[in-house]
Amino acid sequence: MELKNKVALVTGGAVRVGKAIALGLAKEGAQVAIHYHRSKQEAEKTLAEINAMGGSGWLVAGDFSRVADIENVVAACFQKFNRIDILINNAAIYFPTPFGETTEQQWDDLMKINLKAPFFCAQAVAKVMKQGKIINIADVAGIDPWPGFLPYSISKAGLIALTQGLAKTLAPNIQVNAIAAGTVLLQDNAPAEYKKEIEELSLLKKIGSPADIVNTVLYLLQGSDFLTGAVIPVEGGRLLV
């Protein structure tokens, strides 16, 4: 796929990995719709960076815990550009849920944003996407679940299953793939001991960077039009440890 002038909707595109993806797509010439919920200032900063590089971006707000908001975001994006060629389902939440202490609200919150939202976003986009690509940002935890984060892990396992189901459902005109991301970005205040612990979890003994995810997104979009239903691990060999 040639990205120049294509329209890409990036959910959770204001910060962290979503921001990196939005900037990477804009750099390749795509028109990027940056979805955000509470991160308005960060979204405006991301848009300013896109504009500064001579790219094309647009902001759209929505609470993805509500299906009506999801559908409104997609409708607004289509109304703005009259097309959607790419959907990056990146928006997600993440927090520990020790077994025996997990609440129903925590379970519901994780499932709403990490699994329900990508489903309904893909459903809404598929109605207006004549031909294009959907990429779901999953996690290695969806393949090798983390005991202290079981609901999160289950939500990401569901996203992988959704990827494969959508690939079957939307073929041949829409290709759907996923990236099973490892640790590519720590919190700014992460202690050095924790950083070292995470580094030791991978075969490469290091933490990745958002650029590793961006490069994989670009490969799935530009590098091949003969991939669908694939789940690409970008995790430094963590799944083999």
Side-chain angles (χ1 to χ4, degrees):
M1 173 188 280
E2 168 62 49
L3 291 186
K4 188 170 179 58
N5 295 324
K6 292 294 193 298
V7 174
L9 171 59
V10 181
T11 73
V15 297
R16 295 175 64 81
V17 172
K19 174 181 179 177
I21 293 171
L23 291 172
L25 293 176
K27 187 176 181 181
E28 294 296 315
Q31 302 178 78
V32 184
I34 302 164
H35 157 261
Y36 69 94
H37 180 205
R38 297 187 178 93
S39 305
K40 183 178 181 180
Q41 287 186 330
E42 293 88 344
E44 290 172 344
K45 191 178 297 184
T46 300
L47 180 60
E49 290 184 41
I50 288 175
N51 291 335
M53 70 168 71
S56 175
W58 178 70
L59 302 182
V60 59
D63 178 358
F64 269 29
S65 69
R66 298 197 292 252
V67 173
D69 271 29
I70 294 169
E71 292 174 342
N72 287 339
V73 163
V74 173
C77 185
F78 185 73
Q79 184 175 15
K80 169 71 176 178
F81 297 101
N82 200 34
R83 61 189 294 173
I84 300 175
D85 304 291
I86 298 160
L87 168 63
I88 311 292
N89 272 318
N90 165 78
I93 57 174
Y94 167 86
F95 50 81
T97 48
F99 189 69
E101 302 174 23
T102 301
T103 66
E104 181 178 10
Q105 188 64 57
Q106 288 174 325
W107 171 277
D108 288 346
D109 289 345
L110 285 160
M111 295 301 161
K112 278 181 192 174
I113 301 300
N114 297 355
L115 182 55
K116 181 179 176 180
F119 174 89
F120 281 98
C121 195
Q123 179 170 266
V125 165
K127 292 177 181 177
V128 297
M129 181 185 282
K130 296 178 181 178
Q131 191 165 7
K133 297 189 179 186
I134 296 173
I135 300 175
N136 295 322
I137 306 301
D139 195 297
V140 291
I143 299 171
D144 183 17
W146 301 338
F149 298 79
L150 280 180
Y152 172 80
S153 300
I154 292 164
S155 73
K156 290 298 187 174
L159 185 58
I160 289 170
L162 176 61
T163 299
Q164 296 167 337
L166 287 174
K168 292 180 178 181
T169 303
L170 300 177
N173 294 325
I174 299 175
Q175 296 162 45
V176 188
N177 296 290
I179 297 171
T183 304
V184 296
L185 195 62
L186 294 176
Q187 297 293 340
D188 293 337
N189 60 353
E193 312 85 66
Y194 178 70
K195 180 175 183 290
K196 183 65 177 174
E197 179 185 333
I198 296 298
E199 289 173 342
E200 289 299 316
L201 289 175
S202 78
L203 289 179
L204 300 183
K205 304 305 178 189
K206 66 179 183 179
I207 291 170
S209 76
D212 295 309
I213 305 302
V214 174
N215 289 337
T216 309
V217 166
L218 293 178
Y219 169 71
L220 288 170
L221 295 176
Q222 295 177 308
S224 176
D225 291 326
F226 197 55
L227 270 176
T228 197
V231 181
I232 301 179
V234 183
E235 35 67 86
R238 181 169 179 166
L239 290 171
L240 298 176
V241 174

